[in-house]
Amino acid sequence: MCGIVGYVGAVDGRAILVEGLKRLEYRGYDSAGIALIADGGQVEVVRSQGKIAVLEERLRARPVSGRIGIGHTRWATHGRPSDENAHPHSSGPFIVVHNGIIENYSEIKARLEKEGCAFSSETDTEVIVKLAEREWNSGKSAKDAIVASLKQLRGSYAVVFLCQETPGELIAARKESPLILGLGEGACYVASDVPAILSYTNRIVYLEDGDIVTVRKDGYVIETLEGEKKERVPQIIDWNPVMAEKAGYKHFMLKEIYEQPQAVINTFRGAVDLNRMDIRLPQLQLSDSEIGRIRRIYLVACGTSYHACLVGKYFIEKVCRIPVEVDLGSEFRYREPILDADTLLMVVSQSGETADTKAALQEGMERGAVCRAVVNVVGSSLARMAGGVIYTHAGPEIGVASTKAFTAQLVALYLFGLYVGRAVNRISREDLPAYVQELIELPGKMEDVLSRSEEISSLARRYMHARDFLYLGRGVLYPIALEGALKLKEISYIHAEGYAAGEMKHGPIALIDENMPVVVLMDRGPLYEKMLSNVQEVKARGGQVIALVEEARDDKAGALEDQFILPPTSSWLKPVLFSLPLQLLAYHVAVLRGTDVDQPRNLAKSVTVE
Ligand code: AGP
């Protein structure tokens, strides 16, 4: 998820672009750049790896100016953070900034290289501006060349173009990535999100998928790519700039909880080939023959990412019939793990910088294992150390408590299981469409659960003063019991334990009394009746039960006043849905208790020390 800003007006735009990018730094911050067309007509581009402060330093040394320009702060999806991969990207008279994922960029890049095109970056974005130049060279106008290039793209984009041949106008377009217009006095703005321009105007036009807009300082024209004019009513925004960085949410964590359906879509979309109904993971760099040699898989991570690995184990063993061991990053290297060339070590990490997980990967490399990584940050240490990666395209996760990265990790591990399952012929080509169809339906079910946050908020009010919580789950939901307990403890500071429900009678039942809320995860699978028994054991001792029940209320276990009903889904996808109410429960309890939800005490977003 990147930040884009564009400006055309009567005064110099450099400061406007830089300030706008700073307001978007939460969307991505591994590199940044701006481009301006100076009054003399020359194009000035300044880019830098690192945070926007580095760009500012370069601009102090090279104070470019112009009354029309574009800017970009990057969250890398293709190509590591570097000056060359930083936006804007230029070719011929065109300069572009882009937010999104061009799924067919490698095909386009190969075709253009065959025609003698030279590329200077590893990004998917550069193909957009190369295509525009190619179309322009064929005699099209600047706008028609841009339209023709956009029509060749598959995937998502929000783009803003400068063209040296038309220095009085910006051309912007969106498809599945957000883009807005800001209407000022004698100036117009384009941005990924409201915060970038709220200091200059609160009159906003929300562009829609398929819109392309020509923007001048005194107005704009919105059309479709087919040239049909479109009218969009300007809205008046009443947020303040700080609120706007969270898109109106009170905390980044809440915003990220609600971003999960999109994060799941972004994670699986690029990997699922709907035409061939197959799974593509080119960046994993793992051939069928290499997969054929794998006799054991280790999944290694820390914290929430470790819980994702526990879920991954169930699915991968089920569909691939290859033994999977799951280890904590902080333990793995001290137990002299049995690793060799027939072992695949997959580390999982949101940040890609966790010291214990890095050490585990180092151990695997030294012992000759095949090493891969699931990471959310392109170009992070783990992404660079491993022999290949699966990226969770969840976008920057600012809240310390991991939410959207977690469910995106689950999806990444599902994709890995399907990919390996196909390679070892445990999943036939005929089996795959059913799995893919369920993945496609998942985001809608997530939206349904998330839309009922108020039910969770009332549960939070009832139990916010408890001193201890117990979370119980069985089978593939046991790791979700662990994750739910971690979420609650790390942001509300209430002690919470996750337990395999079958273990309750082996100890934790001694804790049950009227002061101990017990969260039970009750999917309608083969273990449902056993979970009902757990509920009755808890209630028989005066315990308070909060039941997450699948499909329908269930009062077999007596008057269960506190139930949250989840939509049905296949067993392998239940962990994603059951996580959501647990994230919301932790969030609402923490808000009620007044803790710092986004930056809880003692914690860091990335634990880069052992
Ligand atoms: C989870 O909410 C915590 N923030 C923490 O457990 C985290 O999952 C862990 O530190 C691992 O981080 P990583 O995914 O960036 O490696």
Side-chain angles (χ1 to χ4, degrees):
M1 188 162 71
C2 305
I4 290 178
V5 61
Y7 163 77
V8 53
V11 303
D12 185 76
R14 183 177 73 243
I16 292 170
L17 294 176
V18 172
E19 284 311 307
L21 291 180
K22 282 179 177 174
R23 291 270 185 276
L24 296 176
E25 207 158 19
Y26 72 89
R27 294 177 65 82
Y29 36 71
D30 58 47
S31 52
I34 68 169
L36 290 154
I37 298 182
D39 290 352
Q42 73 273 25
V43 175
E44 307 278 9
V45 181
V46 179
R47 305 182 290 177
S48 63
Q49 180 181 346
K51 289 188 177 288
I52 292 168
V54 179
L55 177 66
E56 286 186 291
E57 207 174 292
R58 295 211 176 159
L59 288 168
R60 274 191 287 277
R62 192 179 153 212
V64 295
S65 66
R67 288 178 287 174
I68 180 170
I70 55 180
H72 186 274
T73 181
R74 186 170 183 239
W75 176 264
T77 56
H78 296 76
R80 72 201 186 297
S82 67
D83 288 7
E84 299 71 27
N85 289 334
H87 301 210
H89 290 284
S90 314
S91 192
F94 296 102
I95 309 98
V96 74
V97 288
H98 165 233
N99 174 31
I101 296 171
I102 304 305
E103 290 165 14
N104 60 336
Y105 91 96
S106 45
E107 300 148 37
I108 295 172
K109 187 166 183 174
R111 171 159 55 86
L112 292 173
E113 283 175 329
K114 270 202 191 116
E115 294 173 7
C117 223
F119 285 80
S120 58
S121 82
E122 303 162 305
T123 67
D124 55 341
T125 301
E126 196 178 2
V127 302
I128 304 174
V129 73
K130 291 290 185 187
L131 282 174
E133 181 193 12
R134 182 172 174 276
E135 296 294 341
W136 185 71
N137 286 337
S138 70
K140 290 187 176 70
S141 69
K143 170 142 153 290
D144 290 348
I146 290 169
V147 169
S149 70
L150 296 179
K151 284 183 173 178
Q152 298 176 58
L153 306 181
R154 202 172 61 237
S156 59
Y157 59 76
V159 287
V160 188
F161 282 84
L162 276 177
C163 179
Q164 204 169 8
E165 301 299 313
T166 53
E169 60 189 34
L170 299 170
I171 293 181
R174 69 154 284 177
K175 176 175 174 286
E176 298 173 24
S177 287
L179 202 60
I180 60 172
L181 287 184
L183 310 180
E185 297 305 320
C188 278
Y189 308 83
V190 187
S192 306
D193 202 350
V194 168
I197 53 180
L198 201 53
S199 306
Y200 310 108
T201 179
N202 66 354
R203 292 180 61 226
I204 303 293
V205 175
Y206 287 88
L207 296 176
E208 295 188 17
D209 280 355
D211 285 357
I212 182 164
V213 56
T214 304
V215 187
R216 298 182 185 87
K217 66 182 178 187
D218 51 5
Y220 61 95
V221 176
I222 301 175
E223 300 167 280
T224 65
L225 293 185
E226 310 313 322
E228 180 196 350
K229 295 276 187 298
K230 286 290 182 182
E231 290 299 325
R232 301 268 181 254
V233 177
Q235 322 256 331
I236 302 302
I237 300 296
D238 59 3
W239 294 339
N240 63 49
V242 173
M243 262 177 72
E245 284 187 24
K246 296 164 190 159
Y249 288 101
K250 190 173 177 185
H251 297 102
F252 278 112
M253 181 180 175
L254 188 60
K255 176 171 173 286
E256 288 151 12
I257 286 173
Y258 281 90
E259 285 177 338
Q260 290 182 98
Q262 190 58 52
V264 161
I265 291 170
N266 292 348
T267 299
F268 75 66
R269 171 169 51 193
V272 171
D273 183 337
L274 290 175
N275 299 324
R276 292 173 43 229
M277 257 304 161
D278 213 345
I279 303 296
R280 293 175 313 190
L281 296 171
Q283 293 174 297
L284 185 59
Q285 307 278 324
L286 201 58
S287 66
D288 287 3
S289 59
E290 287 171 309
I291 291 172
R293 284 201 299 274
I294 293 171
R295 293 292 169 270
R296 175 179 305 278
I297 296 171
Y298 282 92
L299 301 178
V300 180
C302 302
T304 286
S305 302
Y306 169 74
H307 297 151
C309 293
L310 291 173
V311 173
K313 169 187 169 72
Y314 283 93
F315 183 69
I316 296 165
E317 286 191 337
K318 181 179 167 64
V319 300
C320 303
R321 308 313 296 160
I322 299 174
V324 177
E325 287 195 43
V326 179
D327 264 283
L328 285 167
S330 54
E331 291 293 321
F332 183 67
R333 61 194 182 285
Y334 300 120
R335 68 178 189 82
E336 296 191 27
I338 301 164
L339 301 169
D340 57 27
D342 296 345
T343 311
L344 173 73
L345 169 63
M346 174 82 86
V347 293
V348 178
S349 174
Q350 186 287 127
S351 63
E353 301 299 341
T354 300
D356 285 325
T357 310
K358 282 167 68 175
L361 184 60
Q362 190 60 45
E363 182 77 14
M365 291 160 72
E366 285 164 9
R367 291 177 180 262
V370 176
C371 295
R372 297 295 182 271
V374 173
V375 293
N376 193 43
V377 180
V378 174
S380 57
S381 299
L382 288 173
R384 281 181 282 112
M385 287 164 68
V389 293
I390 302 175
Y391 284 118
T392 49
H393 292 293
E397 189 176 64
I398 310 298
V400 164
S402 187
T403 50
K404 63 176 181 174
F406 174 64
T407 45
Q409 286 168 348
L410 296 183
V411 170
L413 290 167
Y414 294 147
L415 291 170
F416 173 70
L418 294 173
Y419 183 75
V420 172
R422 284 282 298 118
V424 299
N425 292 315
R426 287 278 180 185
I427 297 179
S428 70
R429 187 175 294 282
E430 295 67 39
D431 296 334
L432 202 62
Y435 285 105
V436 170
Q437 187 52 37
E438 287 177 311
L439 261 181
I440 290 170
E441 291 168 3
L442 181 63
K445 295 179 178 178
M446 296 170 75
E447 297 281 7
D448 166 34
V449 173
L450 292 172
S451 69
R452 296 164 36 222
S453 172
E454 186 40 46
E455 294 177 43
I456 300 291
S457 177
S458 63
L459 285 174
R461 281 191 290 277
R462 198 168 311 142
Y463 294 103
M464 63 177 280
H465 297 299
R467 289 169 46 82
D468 301 280
F469 271 71
L470 190 59
Y471 287 68
L472 299 178
R474 288 177 185 263
V476 75
L477 292 180
Y478 162 42
I480 304 308
L482 299 175
E483 173 58 14
L486 174 60
K487 285 282 105 32
L488 185 73
K489 74 179 80 165
E490 69 174 326
I491 64 172
S492 74
Y493 315 150
I494 294 175
H495 172 250
E497 273 190 278
Y499 243 90
E503 275 293 293
M504 198 175 73
K505 55 188 173 299
H506 299 289
I509 198 165
L511 297 171
I512 304 300
D513 62 20
E514 65 284 357
N515 302 314
M516 165 76 88
V518 180
V519 180
V520 290
L521 312 185
M522 302 174 74
D523 70 298
R524 300 273 177 171
L527 302 171
Y528 179 72
E529 297 299 329
K530 294 188 184 303
M531 286 307 294
L532 267 182
S533 306
N534 286 128
V535 168
Q536 279 144 3
E537 287 158 16
V538 171
K539 292 188 74 65
R541 290 157 179 83
Q544 303 160 324
V545 172
I546 301 171
L548 270 56
V549 186
E550 197 174 36
E551 292 184 59
R553 291 190 66 80
D554 187 306
D555 291 328
K556 273 188 218 166
L560 268 183
E561 62 281 0
D562 294 324
Q563 295 193 31
F564 182 87
I565 314 301
L566 288 118
T569 188
S570 293
S571 60
W572 62 297
L573 294 175
K574 293 178 199 287
V576 178
L577 291 184
F578 274 79
S579 303
L580 305 178
L582 300 183
Q583 294 166 353
L584 287 168
L585 180 63
Y587 172 79
H588 287 300
V589 169
V591 168
L592 288 167
R593 290 170 64 96
T595 56
D596 185 341
V597 170
D598 283 333
Q599 296 176 339
R601 67 185 183 193
N602 311 337
L603 284 171
K605 183 56 188 168
S606 179
V607 184
T608 55
V609 294
E610 289 190 20

